[in-house]
Amino acid sequence: MSYDRLVVEADGASRGNPGAAAGGAVVINPETGDVLARAGVLCGEASNNVAEYRGMIEGIDIALALAPQGSIHVRMDSKLVVEQMSGRWKIKHPDMQDLARRARELMGSHRVTFEWVPREDNARADAAANNALDRGESYREL
């Protein structure tokens, strides 16, 4: 099944900041509220900001596979990542510059929008990131 629009909730977790880190993502059908996919990606030793970017990239990658012609709305509790990906804030850190470049290459000409949400509204993505850390491995559940 292909979708016209999907929502990606993305987050990162770092135990130590920097420390063991993982990004998490949940892909949602906004019309039904159904969770279509969950994923967690281990980042090794990294900052929470790097983990946030990695969760976002993972979520966008899954959403593009499910909605190759659709639009994607990314919701995150990281003001930094949302503002940087929206083009309102400069990206100074080299690791985040590389990750933002990778995200933009992945997005290509697709319509992707970004929204900051309060931490309590991002619990599913946080759980996905922590699940990867607890498992000690990256995963995708489609």
Side-chain angles (χ1 to χ4, degrees):
M1 177 173 211
S2 186
Y3 300 91
D4 293 330
R5 183 172 181 266
L6 292 175
V7 171
V8 171
E9 294 177 353
D11 202 4
S14 179
R15 297 179 180 165
N17 201 24
V26 178
V27 180
I28 300 157
N29 177 344
E31 294 184 19
T32 64
D34 292 341
V35 172
L36 304 175
R38 282 184 172 75
V41 58
L42 290 181
C43 306
E45 178 116 351
S47 71
N48 191 61
N49 292 330
V50 167
E52 298 260 7
Y53 265 100
R54 293 287 302 276
M56 177 197 65
I57 290 167
E58 188 76 4
I60 290 171
D61 188 47
I62 294 168
L64 288 173
L66 295 171
Q69 303 304 318
S71 65
I72 300 167
H73 184 67
V74 179
R75 298 166 34 102
M76 300 180 74
D77 63 24
S78 171
K79 185 99 170 148
L80 178 76
V81 175
V82 167
E83 294 298 322
Q84 288 178 339
M85 289 304 300
S86 298
R88 291 184 290 267
W89 291 4
K90 290 183 180 177
I91 306 171
K92 297 177 184 174
H93 193 279
D95 290 344
M96 287 188 281
Q97 287 173 345
D98 290 343
L99 290 165
R101 185 172 22 264
R102 187 182 329 166
R104 286 190 183 102
E105 288 169 0
L106 180 63
M107 293 183 310
S109 62
H110 290 89
R111 179 162 157 57
V112 181
T113 56
F114 296 88
E115 174 188 8
W116 176 84
V117 296
R119 182 178 182 83
E120 58 270 14
D121 292 348
N122 207 27
R124 293 183 286 200
D126 179 64
N130 279 291
N131 191 4
L133 284 171
D134 293 343
R135 289 180 181 199
E137 64 182 11
S138 298
Y139 69 95
R140 275 189 178 186
E141 297 171 350
L142 304 174

